[in-house]
Amino acid sequence: MHLLVNIFSESWQLLLEASAYILFGILIGGLLKVFLSPSYVARHLGQGRYSSVLKAALLGIPLPLCSCGVLPAAAALKRQGANNGATTAFLISTPESGVDSISVSYALLDPIMTVARPLAALISALIAGCIENTFNPPRPQLAMAADLSCAVDGCCSGIDCPPAEHANHHSFPEKIRAGMTYAFGELWGDLAGWFFAGVLLAGMISALVPDDLITTYLGGGLLTMLLMLAFGIPLYICATASTPIAAAMILKGVSPGAALVFLLVGPATNMATLSVLVGLLGKRATAVYLSCIGITAVIFGLTLDWVYAAYGISAKAVIGQAGEIIPYPLQLAAALLILALSIRPLVATIRRRLRKKADGAETGCGCSGGCEDHGEKDKTT
């Protein structure tokens, strides 16, 4: 009983930390739906085996979204025609970096770590996206099949209506309302079930893994990187919040390379993210995502330690502490709002699965919506 209480307590804490970022990510996803032209996405992120990956990776570097907040935005991109490789690259580069985390890295760490962090994020995103599109090449007919109709109310098909004419069909407030309706309805409905399943799994890991193991025997070397990798993959922590922890680790004797592994893996992976990715991209793409993050993080960690040692640079971080970005009352309000928004899609998902199971037509699909991209996604599984 005590263990169950600890698991739910840890899950609740994770929900508190993630909810505000999830809401922000949902908002971004809704705005992308109505303001980012589907034809532009289909043209730049849906076609081109490698150019689309580069564009998606560069797009994600400055965005201040964590591994949970990036999910709705990535889902919106994919539904508008982005291929699996581009979506994978966006999912990696976005949470590992961001204008906020870069600025905090400069304040609490040092210029080398500040440059290494987004550089490693970019390279790992490019590798993962290119591998995915190499083994699962984008199919032009699927990319061009993206929904080009008006995202506000479907007033035109997007093909027969000139863009200049359609730009005058709807006011800015109408577009905002349509984006929010999509974001907190269909978009979050597709992700809610996967997200809460991952939160519970993350709570189990957080309750069972002692905290002091993370900073034990992490002085440097391959074993240190692998240990940090093992600890960082299942845990949820945002890029900005991970920075002061990394600084404290370095002050305690953890190598800068090991700290970099934590900075890359922690924000980009957690059980909630991985469970959603299986539903969004498929098992193979999720395996590519996780493998590329882990391998490139270890390589960059070892390389960074070599740089510090070769040039005799001290890794001691600037003493400081980043303040709480989101106060507890806002965290609580965001968590309660997420729970309220999730009741309807979770109930609908449970009913649909029970109905499919009763009919003998269970497909394993984790989406709550129309799942237009299943034809492509099934190729990855």
Side-chain angles (χ1 to χ4, degrees):
M1 184 65 182
H2 181 68
L3 179 60
L4 290 177
V5 172
N6 285 341
I7 291 175
F8 280 104
S9 176
E10 292 291 343
S11 297
W12 172 249
Q13 185 60 40
L14 291 171
L15 182 62
L16 284 176
E17 295 176 1
S19 292
Y21 294 94
I22 277 286
L23 288 174
F24 184 57
I26 295 173
L27 290 173
I28 294 294
L31 295 177
L32 286 174
K33 173 69 174 179
V34 295
F35 288 105
L36 184 60
S37 168
S39 60
Y40 177 88
V41 176
R43 184 169 65 254
H44 291 279
L45 301 186
Q47 299 182 21
R49 184 175 295 189
Y50 305 118
S51 60
S52 61
V53 172
L54 175 61
K55 294 174 183 177
L58 291 175
L59 174 65
I61 289 292
L63 295 181
L65 295 175
C66 66
S67 59
C68 286
V70 70
L71 293 174
L77 288 177
K78 182 166 176 57
R79 292 168 73 92
Q80 289 179 269
N83 58 54
N84 265 14
T87 305
T88 301
F90 182 80
L91 282 165
I92 292 177
S93 66
T94 304
E96 287 188 344
S97 185
V99 291
D100 54 343
S101 61
I102 292 174
S103 61
V104 174
S105 297
Y106 183 79
L108 297 181
L109 300 174
D110 59 35
I112 296 179
M113 294 283 285
T114 303
V115 173
R117 190 175 186 177
L119 180 62
L122 177 63
I123 293 177
S124 60
L126 291 175
I127 293 174
C130 289
I131 289 176
E132 174 59 24
N133 277 357
T134 296
F135 291 98
N136 182 30
R139 288 175 286 172
Q141 65 271 23
L142 288 181
M144 293 307 295
D147 184 9
L148 304 180
S149 62
C150 172
V152 177
D153 61 3
C155 64
C156 70
S157 64
I159 298 175
D160 301 325
C161 179
E165 177 183 336
H166 180 252
N168 299 320
H169 283 190
H170 303 289
S171 65
F172 183 77
E174 287 178 330
K175 293 180 179 180
I176 292 295
R177 285 195 298 270
M180 296 306 96
T181 299
Y182 165 76
F184 295 108
E186 183 180 354
L187 183 56
W188 179 239
D190 286 350
L191 300 177
W194 291 97
F195 171 72
F196 281 103
V199 166
L200 288 176
L201 289 175
M204 293 176 61
I205 293 173
S206 298
L208 296 175
V209 178
D211 294 338
D212 57 355
L213 288 180
I214 297 178
T215 55
T216 302
Y217 308 115
L218 298 177
L222 179 60
L223 180 59
T224 294
M225 307 299 165
L226 296 178
L227 287 174
M228 189 66 79
L229 192 66
F231 286 126
I233 285 178
L235 300 179
Y236 171 81
I237 187 168
C238 289
T240 301
S242 67
T243 308
I245 298 176
M249 288 181 176
I250 293 177
L251 288 174
K252 290 181 180 180
V254 173
S255 73
L260 180 63
V261 172
F262 175 76
L263 289 172
L264 294 174
V265 174
T269 64
N270 61 72
M271 296 307 299
T273 300
L274 298 179
S275 63
V276 172
L277 288 182
V278 172
L280 180 64
L281 298 177
K283 295 179 181 178
R284 187 179 68 186
T286 301
V288 171
Y289 171 92
L290 186 60
S291 299
C292 287
I293 289 177
I295 294 173
T296 56
V298 170
I299 292 175
F300 267 92
L302 294 172
T303 302
L304 188 64
D305 278 350
W306 177 85
V307 169
Y308 276 89
Y311 292 93
I313 302 173
S314 173
K316 185 175 181 180
V318 177
I319 297 176
Q321 185 175 6
E324 293 291 335
I325 298 177
I326 301 176
Y328 178 78
L330 290 181
Q331 287 184 338
L332 179 61
L336 295 177
L337 180 57
I338 282 290
L339 289 174
L341 293 171
S342 303
I343 293 176
R344 184 173 179 179
L346 288 177
V347 171
T349 298
I350 293 174
R351 288 178 177 175
R352 186 180 60 257
R353 286 184 175 276
L354 290 177
R355 184 167 58 250
K356 286 183 178 181
K357 187 175 182 179
D359 296 340
E362 178 64 46
T363 62
C365 169
C367 295
S368 299
C371 295
E372 298 89 348
D373 56 356
H374 282 174
E376 181 178 1
K377 183 179 69 179
D378 289 342
K379 295 296 183 179
T380 68
T381 58

